[in-house]
Amino acid sequence: MSHRPPAVRFGYGTNGLTDLRLDDALALLADLGYDGVGLTLDHMHLDPLAPDLPARTAHVARRLDALGLGVTVETGARYVLDPRRKHGPSLLDADPDGRAARVRLLLRAVRVAADLGAHAVHCFSGITPADTSDETAWKRLASSLTLVLEAAAAARVPLAVEPEPGHLLATLDDFHTLRGLLGDPDPRHLGLTLDLGHCQCLEPASPADCVRAAAPWLHHVQIEDMRRGVHEHLPFGDGEIDFPPVLAALAEVTAAGYPGLTVVELPRHSHAGPELARSSLAFLHHHSAPREAPAC
């Protein structure tokens, strides 16, 4: 009898379901057949700054367990720290108090991720401020992440840094620059969130080849459609990505031991979230490589 390889585990990001209560969003994803969720800590769901965070986290943990959903904790909420500045303050801010506020948020995210049994906790660098040299920005990023990385390692929750178009850390090469500045940490502690649309947007290699290149450091995957040179998250079929090779590459790294999720990332489509969650999973299953039937 032949053995089936482990399947790619698909999730959906709560930043694309912001019109739903979190309990309702989780129930929807479980009912549709998702394996997990990319949980963005934000005011409309699991607010990291509201009182009684441990009790609210415990409720979410019970809910995830009851529904059989895995989870990765994401920290890309647009205005969770500053209602007037998107993604501000960042780890690159000139103001040390601003950088410290972002570090505190990430430390809370590590604790939440540990309490949820999450696969990883995600973060990104931020945009280099005006009148700031790249050298200074990289020093700020490495210094800011040192404490977060220590906390994540102690909690046994991998830190998964996402290359983000327009940010200081924008590419896979930039991730390796950060690794060098941090002393080449163990890949079990510092790794990647790989957004496949971002690969289509700006990486020289194809998204499928990016998956294979990132495999030793891979802790979280985000997936959506996108066009070359345009950072706009699109529903599947609206962009330029050739998905069967990408899904085959994801199947390869999953078979090789990647335990995390591949999460649909449509943060600008919450108005159609439930329907897009349904159609996205159908698309991914349709374009995944067929499995061999077990031998009789």
Side-chain angles (χ1 to χ4, degrees), residues 271-283:
H271 63 283
E275 172 55 25
L276 277 171
R278 184 202 62 77
S279 61
S280 295
L281 189 59
F283 179 98

Side-chain angles (χ1 to χ4, degrees), residues 4 10 19 23-24 28 55 63 89 99 135 155 174 211 230 233 275 296:
R4 291 183 176 183
F10 293 119
D19 291 294
D23 278 0
D24 292 338
L28 170 74
R63 185 76 170 146
R99 297 198 300 275
E135 180 182 6
D174 293 336
V211 171
V230 182
H233 292 236
E275 172 55 25
C296 296

Side-chain angles (χ1 to χ4, degrees), residues 125-172:
S125 68
I127 297 170
T128 303
D131 302 321
T132 300
S133 69
D134 283 351
E135 180 182 6
T136 296
W138 280 111
K139 286 180 179 177
R140 288 176 185 166
L141 180 61
S143 176
S144 297
L145 281 181
T146 296
L147 186 61
V148 181
L149 182 58
E150 290 173 354
R156 299 184 179 181
V157 177
L159 186 65
V161 180
E162 180 186 7
E164 182 82 20
H167 284 211
L168 173 70
L169 197 158
T171 66
L172 291 175

Side-chain angles (χ1 to χ4, degrees), residues 121-296:
V121 61
H122 145 282
C123 68
F124 46 52
S125 68
I127 297 170
T128 303
D131 302 321
T132 300
S133 69
D134 283 351
E135 180 182 6
T136 296
W138 280 111
K139 286 180 179 177
R140 288 176 185 166
L141 180 61
S143 176
S144 297
L145 281 181
T146 296
L147 186 61
V148 181
L149 182 58
E150 290 173 354
R156 299 184 179 181
V157 177
L159 186 65
V161 180
E162 180 186 7
E164 182 82 20
H167 284 211
L168 173 70
L169 197 158
T171 66
L172 291 175
D173 284 347
D174 293 336
F175 168 71
H176 293 298
T177 296
L178 176 64
R179 285 181 54 239
L181 291 171
L182 291 172
D184 194 15
D186 191 319
R188 293 174 298 175
H189 300 150
L190 178 70
L192 274 164
T193 291
L194 186 69
D195 187 307
L196 297 169
H198 297 173
C199 298
Q200 175 70 22
C201 180
L202 52 71
E203 292 285 353
S206 70
D209 286 341
C210 288
V211 171
R212 297 183 180 98
W217 299 276
L218 200 59
H219 288 302
H220 186 43
V221 177
Q222 297 171 344
I223 190 167
E224 69 283 316
D225 216 339
M226 202 169 286
R227 301 185 183 99
R228 185 70 179 171
V230 182
H231 183 201
E232 181 183 3
H233 292 236
L234 299 172
F236 298 123
D238 288 358
E240 300 171 343
I241 296 179
D242 182 13
F243 280 98
V246 174
L247 293 166
L250 287 170
E252 289 174 21
V253 300
T254 300
Y258 169 62
L261 296 167
T262 294
V263 169
V264 179
E265 182 83 355
L266 292 173
R268 296 181 183 272
H269 292 77
S270 283
H271 63 283
E275 172 55 25
L276 277 171
R278 184 202 62 77
S279 61
S280 295
L281 189 59
F283 179 98
L284 292 168
H285 284 161
H286 177 73
H287 288 84
S288 295
R291 296 175 175 178
E292 293 182 4
C296 296

